[in-house]
Amino acid sequence: MPNLRALAAELGEAKVKLDLADRVLHRYDAITEGKIPLAVVYPETTKEVVRVVRFAREAGLPLFVRGAASGLSGGAVPTEEGIVLATNRMTRLEIDPKARLARAQVGVVTAWVSERAKPFGLYYPPDPASFKMSTIGGNLAENAGGPQCFKKGVTGDYVVAAQVVDAEGRVHEIPGRAAHDVLGLLVGSEGTLVVFTEVTLRLEPLPRHTRTLAAFFERVEDAAAAAFEAIRWGAMPAKLEFLDQGCIRAVEAAFGYGLDTGAGAMLLVDTDGDDEALVEEELELVADAFAAHGARIQRARDAAEADRLWQARRAVSPALGRIKPYKLNEDIAVPRSKLVEVVHKIRDLGEAFGFPLVQFGHIGDGNLHPNILYGPGDDVARVHELAHAIARVALEAGGVITGEHGVGLLKRAFLAEAVDEATLEAFRALKRAFDPAGLLNPGKLLP
Ligand SMILES: Cc1cc2nc3c(=O)[nH]c(=O)nc-3n(C[C@H](O)[C@H](O)[C@H](O)COP(=O)(O)OP(=O)(O)OC[C@H]3O[C@@H](n4cnc5c(N)ncnc54)[C@H](O)[C@@H]3O)c2cc1C
């Protein structure tokens, strides 16, 4: 038995939790339950991360890195008895306004970066809907996206440099530009190749003006066609979000934001920029394109109304919890031209399997989140069968099995259908090169 008490004595008992309650709490992410870990360790510095990695390596224990555990693919849950390395106390954050950079330890919560940058007229664009809880480390490991990513890009587009600890416990300072794009390789590696410890992030000037509108459509196909039309006409909205009727009704039933429950679908749009007239003009262009597809348009009159509309969007996940206690949040991305066909196929699958299913997503990127809702009496194996069928619909449409939530545990089995055997073997070789002993996040990502 590895001497975890010795590790606790060395790092301090406040940083190494061995009691059952703490360990049980760290077996979950947002929707998945894993094994109870042997210990939960809260390092505060890179040096302490190195110590934990070396300890795990010497003891032959697997290591599961965990940020806020808001992940939706089971990425952070232990698959075997091992150590959970929780980054929540790695929260140092410095803003360099002149260089427009932030240097963050990985336990920094995503929203803090923009909050701290705001007094300097700067912000950090990647905005997963979970941004008030997710950590920068989790965002890097999943290459998280969000509503703004259609125009502004995903997490990886903002990582300038990173410090990582490898599976041997060595520290690497990885620059953004080197002989190889190592950072590009590590971002999105889901805790399976290295432990991120610190990161330098690019900040952007805050746009001076933002305008918001909500549009309600009779049918999903009208909303999808309208979104394509607006883009074809030259609009590049800062945010472009889709909600189906099930989402609209769930949000209204739970919180009553005044959305049109008779609508078959809703689009929520922000335009932004420094030139107010251009921002208005772009919103008008979007409104015209939507009106051409029969939309009823609601322009936000002020920032408070815009905020309320975005609150309604963020309320989707909590609202779904009122319908059924559990949900499996699928995450696919398909070519925009295939979106209508895919939405219909998935709706039909939900009906065929007999589960309530709603769909929303970042429609500009073709990123869709079909959510399967279920309860304690339901057959979980059937829920996963339905998720697999949804992934197949994405692949048949020329899409991918994950848009932003990662493969993790949930989609491991689907990966073999998503990439060819030679590529899969290259992924395995990569894993062996970075982590020969299979210490980091075993049982994830690779089938
Ligand atoms: C309501 C809700 C809305 C969401 N909306 C979005 C969205 O719009 N866009 C989106 O992309 N995601 C979204 N997510 C999913 C999730 O929030 C993101 O995947 C997020 O990036 C996870 O961050 P985390 O800190 O919670 O990571 P965790 O869940 O703790 O971990 C996720 C993965 O990252 C690894 N990891 C964590 N920290 C490190 C590190 N320092 N080094 C190496 N590996 C690490 C873990 O091992 C695990 O594999 C949403 C989730 C919820 C619950």
Side-chain angles (χ1 to χ4, degrees):
M1 188 66 186
N3 196 348
L4 289 157
R5 296 211 177 274
L7 186 68
E10 185 185 332
L11 295 181
E13 294 202 349
K15 291 182 191 167
V16 182
K17 302 284 186 184
L18 300 175
D19 58 299
L20 187 62
D22 276 312
R23 293 189 289 121
V24 167
L25 285 173
H26 288 77
R27 75 189 294 192
Y28 304 97
D29 72 355
I31 55 170
T32 315
E33 181 182 302
K35 291 238 159 55
I36 300 175
L38 294 173
V40 182
V41 186
Y42 289 98
E44 289 174 13
T45 61
T46 300
K47 213 169 141 197
E48 287 173 349
V49 172
V50 167
R51 183 66 196 105
V52 180
V53 171
R54 291 203 172 142
F55 178 90
R57 196 171 164 273
E58 281 154 23
L61 287 176
L63 198 64
F64 303 93
V65 188
R66 172 181 157 122
S70 70
L72 293 167
S73 58
V77 306
T79 44
E80 309 168 17
E81 281 192 338
I83 298 177
V84 166
L85 188 156
T87 62
N88 314 79
R89 295 189 193 161
M90 299 181 71
T91 54
R92 200 180 61 251
L93 171 61
E94 286 149 19
I95 306 290
D96 179 347
K98 278 202 187 119
R100 290 187 182 163
L101 295 174
R103 181 78 179 174
Q105 273 188 308
V106 286
V108 162
V109 170
T110 313
W112 299 351
V113 183
S114 286
E115 280 164 19
R116 287 277 300 279
K118 196 175 174 189
F120 305 105
L122 300 169
Y123 80 122
Y124 173 62
D127 60 341
S130 53
F131 73 128
K132 289 193 177 164
M133 54 181 158
S134 70
T135 65
I136 289 296
N139 293 168
L140 253 77
E142 300 289 3
N143 198 10
Q148 299 215 67
C149 294
F150 173 54
K151 180 174 178 181
K152 312 264 165 74
V154 293
T155 301
D157 297 316
Y158 290 85
V159 181
V160 174
Q163 182 193 68
V164 306
V165 174
D166 69 17
E168 307 279 325
R170 290 171 303 210
V171 181
H172 304 254
E173 299 286 348
I174 303 181
R177 289 191 185 84
H180 299 288
D181 183 8
V182 181
L183 263 185
L185 181 75
L186 297 178
V187 170
S189 60
E190 303 189 20
T192 64
L193 300 183
V194 291
V195 183
F196 289 103
T197 45
E198 283 192 29
V199 55
T200 305
L201 301 168
R202 189 163 58 81
L203 303 172
E204 291 270 294
L206 271 167
R208 288 208 182 96
H209 303 281
T210 303
R211 294 289 182 274
T212 301
L213 70 72
F216 298 93
F217 298 85
E218 202 180 318
R219 302 172 309 164
V220 168
E221 36 274 68
D222 300 326
F228 307 151
E229 194 92 302
I231 295 166
R232 203 167 59 81
W233 287 7
M236 188 54 145
K239 300 180 186 171
L240 177 51
E241 294 285 296
F242 160 78
L243 277 71
D244 77 356
Q245 187 176 59
C247 292
I248 300 172
R249 290 189 172 170
V251 168
E252 277 314 293
F255 303 111
Y257 281 101
L259 306 180
D260 178 355
T261 50
M266 170 182 169
L267 295 177
L268 188 54
V269 176
D270 266 8
T271 58
D272 71 3
D274 290 338
D275 182 328
E276 192 168 12
L278 280 181
V279 175
E280 292 272 7
E281 196 182 310
E282 189 176 23
L283 197 77
E284 282 316 305
L285 182 86
V286 170
D288 288 349
F290 286 6
H293 292 273
R296 188 180 72 71
I297 311 265
Q298 179 188 343
R299 282 183 188 72
R301 280 162 302 208
D302 51 30
E305 194 177 335
D307 194 43
R308 200 171 151 74
L309 284 168
W310 283 105
Q311 273 176 34
R313 160 64 185 89
R314 283 195 293 273
V316 171
S317 284
L320 296 178
R322 309 250 179 133
I323 299 175
K324 291 273 182 181
Y326 308 135
K327 68 181 165 110
L328 196 152
N329 187 333
E330 252 289 4
D331 162 51
I332 55 172
V334 297
R336 281 200 298 267
S337 59
K338 293 287 176 65
L339 216 81
V340 173
E341 175 191 322
V342 165
V343 167
H344 285 313
K345 276 192 182 162
I346 293 174
R347 192 182 55 195
D348 293 348
L349 276 173
E351 277 166 21
F353 275 74
F355 289 107
L357 187 152
V358 302
Q359 306 188 62
F360 59 94
H362 317 307
I363 195 171
D365 296 320
N367 185 195
L368 199 64
H369 298 310
N371 274 229
I372 308 164
L373 312 181
Y374 63 103
D378 286 320
D379 179 355
V380 182
R382 288 280 291 162
V383 173
H384 286 272
E385 253 177 66
L386 174 53
H388 203 151
I390 291 171
R392 287 201 182 109
V393 169
L395 292 174
E396 280 159 18
V400 291
I401 60 168
T402 169
E404 56 185 19
H405 296 167
V407 173
L409 195 56
L410 281 184
K411 297 195 170 176
R412 205 161 74 106
F414 313 171
L415 196 64
E417 292 168 46
V419 296
D420 56 69
E421 189 47 43
T423 307
L424 214 50
E425 193 37 56
F427 287 176
R428 289 194 187 107
L430 202 62
K431 170 73 177 168
R432 284 194 296 272
F434 274 88
D435 179 19
L439 173 87
L440 297 173
N441 218 358
K444 307 287 171 63
L445 200 82
L446 293 170

